[in-house]
Amino acid sequence: MTADAVSASVVESGGAALAAPPDRGPRRNRAAYLRYGAGKLGGAVVSLLAVLVTSFFLFRLIPGDPVKTMTGGRQVSAAQLASYRREFGLDLPLWQQFTDYCGKALTGDLGTSYQFRAPVIDKITEALPNTLLLTVTSFVLYTALGIFLGTRAAWRNGGPGDRLNTGLALALYSIPSFWLGLLLIIVFSVGVGPVPGLFPTGGMESGGETGFAYVLDVAHHLVLPVVTLVAVEYGQTLLVTRSALLDEMGGDYLTTARAKGLRDDLVRRRHAVPNAMLPTMTLIFVNLGRTVAGVILVETVFSWPGLGGLFYQALSVPDLPLVQGLFFVFAAAVIVMNTLADLLYPLLDPRVGR
């Protein structure tokens, strides 16, 4: 080939290179993720609206007259009952009650509690920190415990430790939380035989404590509710982590890592566990929302002054605005956490959402 031909070839190839479109891979991936995220957010909004509608009609199926319940069995005239119904809008047609409820809810007004004569949002805001203290403490402990024991059980699959951990997790996971809570109260609060009553039977504080003594008092009351939630919930995290890690243990990359001379502990921590954490990360977000919504029985058993105890108290009236507001909060916690898990998963595994 002549020099001129070579030069022409180089020019042509360079021109082709200059004319070639830039790599659009990152931009395409970003667009795909935005479409994926928009779909998930749209589904979450639709779910929240469905919960808003369901909460209105569902609790009107509860038998009983809330106005008569609020009078506490006292002799009340028909005129007084009519006045109460007019005050709370219960004399309006059902369709008008529904439209008023939806219109106010979309502006953040969840109505006024029948029994407390206070805005529902204020009662929720007042009880929410107590529920978060219980649920977040329990969530951190049972998540850490489940991941730790799940990785240990999978890495020693079939051994005595694996069989013991798996069997105990399945047994505790199948126990109703209220039954376990009552059992703990009987053993560790009331005392059985040589076991003295070590913890309070209920409540969040003894009263009269300030400063660091108050913190210790709340922690003392927190022990049994937290133990109940941790015992019932850690098994699911353990089983999911164990199953995911077992799927990874046959991978060629682990064999390569061992062939390079890495210790077994490093192979597990640096290679196997990070890849096995994808299903567990989804479960973590789902569990956080589910724990917030699932503390009703535990808070009721231990008389914990949170959203769960407030929900039980509202059901006994029935305090319809308060029940509806709490139901919406519980459902929203689950929906929001599920949506966050969906949005996070493609960042952990790029194959999702494409």
Side-chain angles (χ1 to χ4, degrees):
M1 181 180 293
T2 65
D4 291 339
V6 172
S7 300
S9 176
V10 170
V11 170
E12 288 176 2
S13 61
L18 292 175
D23 183 14
R24 300 182 182 274
R27 185 180 302 175
R28 189 182 304 111
N29 292 342
R30 187 159 49 247
Y33 179 76
L34 290 176
R35 288 194 300 271
Y36 171 83
K40 294 299 181 180
L41 291 174
V45 171
V46 172
S47 298
L48 288 173
L49 292 176
V51 168
L52 191 67
V53 173
T54 303
S55 65
F56 178 84
F57 292 103
L58 177 64
F59 296 106
R60 275 161 176 75
L61 300 176
I62 300 175
D65 188 343
V67 173
K68 290 183 178 180
T69 306
M70 282 187 292
T71 61
R74 301 188 304 272
Q75 291 293 330
V76 180
S77 66
Q80 289 175 309
L81 290 176
S83 176
Y84 279 128
R85 290 192 173 90
R86 189 164 50 253
E87 177 184 354
F88 293 108
L90 295 174
D91 61 329
L92 299 174
L94 187 61
W95 67 267
Q96 190 171 349
Q97 293 183 43
F98 173 68
T99 55
D100 289 347
Y101 166 70
C102 290
K104 291 179 179 179
L106 293 176
T107 63
D109 182 3
L110 296 177
T112 301
S113 169
Y114 295 163
Q115 55 184 325
F116 297 107
R117 306 296 180 90
V120 169
I121 193 67
D122 290 349
K123 299 302 296 182
I124 292 176
T125 304
E126 179 183 330
L128 181 59
N130 300 337
T131 292
L132 290 179
L133 174 63
L134 173 60
T135 56
V136 172
T137 303
S138 305
F139 168 77
V140 171
L141 291 176
Y142 76 66
T143 299
L145 182 64
I147 292 174
F148 175 77
L149 294 179
T151 56
R152 293 287 176 177
W155 208 251
R156 295 171 174 81
N157 181 34
D162 176 31
R163 292 195 295 269
L164 176 63
N165 285 328
T166 305
L168 183 61
L170 287 171
L172 291 174
Y173 186 59
S174 63
I175 294 177
S177 58
F178 73 91
W179 185 85
L180 181 59
L182 290 173
L183 186 64
L184 291 177
I185 289 175
I186 293 172
V187 176
F188 295 105
S189 293
V190 178
V192 175
V195 180
L198 302 174
F199 299 98
T201 57
M204 183 176 171
E205 57 180 295
S206 302
E209 303 290 350
T210 58
F212 187 65
Y214 172 77
V215 175
L216 291 178
D217 184 42
V218 172
H220 191 216
H221 286 75
L222 192 63
V223 171
L224 290 185
V226 167
V227 169
T228 301
L229 283 173
V230 169
V232 172
E233 297 292 344
Y234 91 96
Q236 186 180 22
T237 306
L238 183 152
L239 295 173
V240 170
T241 303
R242 177 181 179 275
S243 176
L245 188 54
L246 285 176
D247 290 339
E248 294 292 331
M249 284 175 58
D252 293 337
Y253 68 96
L254 296 183
T255 304
T256 303
R258 292 190 183 96
K260 290 181 177 180
L262 290 180
R263 298 196 312 272
D264 202 51
D265 183 57
L266 290 178
V267 172
R268 182 179 71 247
R269 287 192 291 107
R270 292 185 181 179
H271 297 278
V273 172
N275 287 323
M277 283 299 293
L278 293 176
T280 306
M281 286 299 297
T282 303
L283 180 66
I284 286 173
F285 279 90
V286 173
N287 276 348
L288 182 56
R290 192 169 58 84
T291 302
V292 173
V295 296
I296 298 174
L297 294 176
V298 173
E299 288 192 355
T300 302
V301 168
F302 290 98
S303 302
W304 190 264
L307 295 180
L310 190 63
F311 186 78
Y312 176 79
Q313 189 176 355
L315 275 176
S316 63
V317 173
D319 189 340
L320 294 179
L322 187 54
V323 169
Q324 290 167 180
L326 288 168
F327 179 79
F328 180 77
V329 169
F330 292 146
V334 176
I335 292 171
V336 168
M337 288 299 108
N338 283 345
T339 304
L340 287 177
D342 289 336
L343 295 177
L344 178 66
Y345 210 92
L347 302 179
L348 300 174
D349 187 351
R351 295 170 298 178
V352 178
R354 290 187 178 181

